Amino acid sequence: MVPLLDLSRIHKPIQTELERAALDVLRGGRYVLGPQVGELEKALAAYCGVKHVVSCANGSDALLLALMAFDFQPGDEVITTPYTFFATVSAITRLQLRPVLVDIDPATFNIDIDKMRDAITPRTRAILPVHLFGQPVDMDKLMAIAHKHGLHVIEDTAQAIGSRWGDRFAGSIGDIGTTSFYPTKNLGGFGDGGALTTNDDALAERLRILRMHGMEPKYYHKFIGINGRLDTLQAALLLVKLPHLDGYAKGRRANAHRYNELFAKLGDAVTIPVEIPNAYHVYNQYVIRVQRRDELKAFLAKRGIGCDIYYPVSLHEQECFAYLGYKKGDFPNSENAANTSLALPVFGELTPAEIEEVVSAISEFVA
Ligand SMILES: *Cc1c(COP(=O)(O)O)cnc(C)c1O
């Protein structure tokens, strides 16, 4: 028995602090935009090295708010990849913008930057790179292209909080970074939560207003915003976890590297994830590639070993996006990843014996 993720193990060492923080909020009575929300925003801004953090209700709203913060017009194009969580693309379509999808680099699962350059048209307004599984996109290369074409950059950092490109944190390099505190993310809350990061004063102000129905001052609406606030309770609990975020990443990295060593002995039956130079990968997911992936998943399930597929369907093949006009075969690397990728348990509190159990089951399968 090895769980894909065991939150109780992660929370056990800080249980007393978490309970105290929750109780403070219950007794304090300021459940919406209470003082802990501002404290978390400050602490997170200091951690990520950005001027502003605007917290919000979840990572999907963070993407929506980020896109709302610019004066994009219906039909304007936003470039991203089809190999990501649904919300990356649905945020674009919800605003009547057009997602222009670009295939991934098969080595990193992240957007192929050369193909991204070729996808720029006169209607392109923004690029939305996703730092998938915890590894940042090559932001030097991406930003150079964005600047050359005058494009905005919104970084989907939902899976990569704490990861770095060189010495800069993912989410701090483009115009806006978005992140998620969904419980399975590296900085997971106790329900839904999210945040936006930016160094731009005007954008931060606009995001704050948009998060509150576009209201400023009270009952006067400059913009049509949303109710996208983070609960005080989540902020208070996240303040307890934030000091541990680097430690969580270190644990995940150590486990990923241990897997790499063990899988190396299996030859090329298992393709291990690649870390690119300059990237500090935080392994929200440790994703291998194998043939007969669905059979392996069933085999591991029988042994009580947790694993999952992120993602089984490339977004261009989703029914709701059929109107975009893409078809099977348009993004072969993304489709191939959807057919062969498998995420294994990697959270920092796994024991060495559990990692060996996972690897020995897989080696039995591929033998
Ligand atoms: C989790 C996730 C989101 C959405 O975050 P929620 O908080 O679940 O709304 C967006 N993009 C990516 C890449 C994600 O993994």
Side-chain angles (χ1 to χ4, degrees):
M1 275 291 283
V2 185
L4 180 59
L5 176 64
D6 182 352
L7 293 171
S8 67
R9 281 195 227 177
I10 296 174
H11 294 148
K12 204 169 170 202
I14 51 173
Q15 192 67 25
T16 313
E17 279 175 90
L18 288 168
E19 287 173 6
R20 192 176 304 135
L23 210 53
D24 280 349
V25 176
L26 290 192
R27 290 175 177 162
R30 296 183 59 192
Y31 306 131
V32 173
L33 296 183
Q36 291 90 337
V37 172
E39 275 174 52
L40 176 71
E41 290 176 344
K42 260 202 204 103
L44 199 56
Y47 174 85
C48 296
V50 290
K51 275 176 84 178
H52 307 281
V53 167
V54 178
S55 61
C56 64
N58 54 64
S60 306
D61 276 1
L63 287 161
L64 195 62
L65 287 163
L67 290 162
M68 288 166 76
F70 299 100
D71 291 312
F72 297 146
Q73 298 303 311
D76 282 350
E77 295 173 1
V78 178
I79 298 177
T80 191
T81 85
Y83 195 64
T84 175
F85 180 60
F86 178 73
T88 314
V89 174
S90 68
I92 299 171
T93 59
R94 194 169 282 272
L95 297 172
Q96 269 71 58
L97 306 172
R98 184 169 178 84
V100 171
L101 303 178
V102 168
D103 208 358
I104 54 167
D105 172 343
T108 61
F109 303 100
N110 281 336
I111 194 164
D112 181 321
I113 297 186
D114 294 317
K115 291 189 180 133
M116 179 198 91
R117 184 198 291 113
D118 297 340
I120 295 171
T121 77
R123 289 222 70 172
T124 308
R125 295 289 173 269
I127 304 170
L128 208 173
V130 183
H131 305 303
L132 202 71
F133 302 144
Q135 170 152 259
V137 172
D138 180 339
M139 289 304 287
D140 289 323
K141 203 167 162 186
L142 186 141
M143 291 305 290
I145 296 168
H147 283 145
K148 189 171 158 209
H149 295 271
L151 304 175
H152 293 295
V153 175
I154 297 166
E155 299 173 68
D156 185 340
T157 317
Q159 299 183 12
I161 190 166
S163 78
R164 299 189 289 275
W165 177 253
D167 56 7
R168 287 187 298 167
F169 279 86
S172 75
I173 303 167
D175 298 273
I176 300 178
T178 67
T179 198
S180 165
F181 305 127
Y182 186 75
T184 62
K185 308 292 161 120
N186 280 20
L187 183 60
F190 298 76
D192 282 305
L196 299 116
T197 46
T198 185
N199 285 307
D200 185 309
D201 299 344
L203 276 178
E205 178 63 15
R206 190 146 177 185
L207 290 168
R208 263 180 219 293
I209 296 172
L210 285 168
R211 167 182 79 171
M212 260 275 260
H213 286 302
M215 182 163 80
E216 177 64 29
K218 202 172 183 186
Y219 300 131
Y220 287 80
H221 298 262
K222 213 178 197 162
F223 313 109
I224 302 172
I226 62 173
N227 175 359
R229 296 171 301 242
L230 180 71
D231 289 343
T232 309
L233 183 62
Q234 294 304 332
L237 294 166
L238 289 164
L239 272 167
V240 174
K241 285 187 82 175
L242 180 59
H244 301 279
L245 180 57
D246 280 338
Y248 297 151
K250 281 199 187 112
R252 287 169 176 276
R253 285 173 57 80
N255 289 343
H257 298 156
R258 181 68 185 138
Y259 273 125
N260 288 348
E261 274 171 34
L262 296 171
F263 282 133
K265 295 175 190 150
L266 303 188
D268 51 17
V270 173
T271 305
I272 58 172
V274 171
E275 281 182 29
I276 56 173
N278 219 29
Y280 184 80
H281 194 325
V282 294
Y283 290 98
N284 180 242
Q285 302 294 349
Y286 179 87
V287 176
I288 58 166
R289 299 222 195 162
V290 284
Q291 298 306 315
R292 300 195 290 136
R293 187 268 322 270
D294 294 339
E295 282 170 63
L296 173 59
K297 182 169 184 272
F299 178 86
L300 293 176
K302 235 184 247 156
R303 296 286 176 93
I305 293 174
C307 61
D308 214 342
I309 299 167
Y310 304 105
Y311 298 91
V313 182
S314 180
L315 291 179
H316 71 287
E317 296 188 78
Q318 293 289 356
E319 196 179 331
C320 67
F321 293 138
Y323 76 97
L324 294 172
Y326 293 112
K327 60 184 188 308
K328 194 176 177 66
D330 281 349
F331 305 107
N333 296 333
S334 180
E335 291 167 31
N336 188 262
N339 291 329
T340 61
S341 67
L342 191 65
L344 304 178
V346 73
F347 63 102
E349 294 70 13
L350 281 172
T351 65
E354 286 175 318
I355 292 175
E356 273 158 38
E357 186 181 334
V358 175
V359 174
S360 91
I362 294 173
S363 51
E364 203 180 303
F365 178 84
V366 299

